[in-house]
Amino acid sequence: MADPELEDRKKRAEKIIASPESYKVCEGCDSIVGAKVTNCPNCGSYRFDSSVERVVEQARILGSRPSRSISMTDYM
């Protein structure tokens, strides 16, 4: 039986890979965020790598493994 969370992450990664110019990778925490974001919502960083190659590479990595990030729900 497939893990629903992993399947969801894979689908989101496929969406990003299909349109990598719409995203960028945070250099602070390696999250993928929208291209118009000025500060990372996860770590607050303002440094990003918007190269298509880096976005695709990171989407493949994140789409192939469970989340390792702490989310806001973890604080509640």
Side-chain angles (χ1 to χ4, degrees):
M1 183 175 200
D3 180 356
E5 178 191 351
L6 195 54
E7 288 298 316
D8 182 52
R9 289 173 64 83
K10 185 177 178 181
K11 286 179 185 175
R12 285 186 282 157
E14 290 170 355
K15 178 183 172 187
I16 292 166
I17 291 168
S19 183
E21 63 282 347
S22 298
Y23 301 91
K24 55 190 175 182
V25 178
C26 174
E27 291 186 349
C29 67
D30 292 328
S31 294
I32 297 175
V33 299
K36 294 183 180 183
V37 170
T38 56
N39 288 85
C40 178
N42 296 318
C43 74
S45 178
Y46 55 88
R47 296 185 56 165
F48 300 95
D49 185 340
S50 58
S51 69
V52 169
E53 297 81 14
R54 178 72 172 111
V55 171
V56 170
E57 173 189 27
Q58 190 65 12
R60 286 189 176 129
I61 291 168
L62 296 178
S64 67
R65 64 167 173 79
S67 176
R68 297 180 188 165
S69 303
I70 296 174
S71 69
M72 290 306 291
T73 58
D74 294 323
Y75 293 108
M76 297 177 183

